[in-house]
Amino acid sequence: WDIAKAERQAGNFKIQGSGAEMTKLAMGRMWFAGLRQKYDIRFFSPIHDEVVFSIAIEDMPQAIPEIHAAMTAQYAQMSVPV
């Protein structure tokens, strides 16, 4: 059981670490894009591989494409789209 657990943890480590890094990079891109200043938006929290916001309805058409672009930007040298 301990060996199987260690094998699962070793595989998941890179996947979860990469997911966390991608989320942090996306949050940084959103910060530097000035979304909080441009829109009526409130950031709540990153949850696993998601970033949770509350956005005013009138700002959604402009804000969502910018958030999407930040979340799907190329990561490292990946050839598969995020």
Side-chain angles (χ1 to χ4, degrees):
W1 187 83
D2 287 337
I3 292 170
K5 178 181 174 185
E7 288 173 347
R8 283 191 311 277
Q9 288 174 336
N12 286 338
F13 174 77
K14 284 189 174 188
I15 295 167
Q16 291 175 345
S18 295
E21 185 178 10
M22 290 170 66
T23 302
K24 288 185 269 185
L25 289 170
M27 289 169 49
R29 286 189 287 271
M30 287 182 252
W31 175 265
F32 289 117
L35 297 180
R36 288 184 51 222
Q37 291 76 24
K38 291 195 313 192
Y39 305 113
D40 184 5
I41 188 169
R42 180 169 294 204
F43 169 74
F44 286 109
S45 174
I47 303 202
H48 302 291
D49 61 347
E50 299 176 5
V51 182
V52 180
F53 290 99
S54 174
I55 306 172
I57 291 173
E58 60 271 7
D59 287 337
M60 289 175 70
Q62 296 83 25
I64 289 174
E66 290 189 49
I67 294 168
H68 181 265
M71 294 293 292
T72 58
Q74 184 175 356
Y75 173 70
Q77 301 301 319
M78 290 177 58
S79 58
V80 178
V82 177

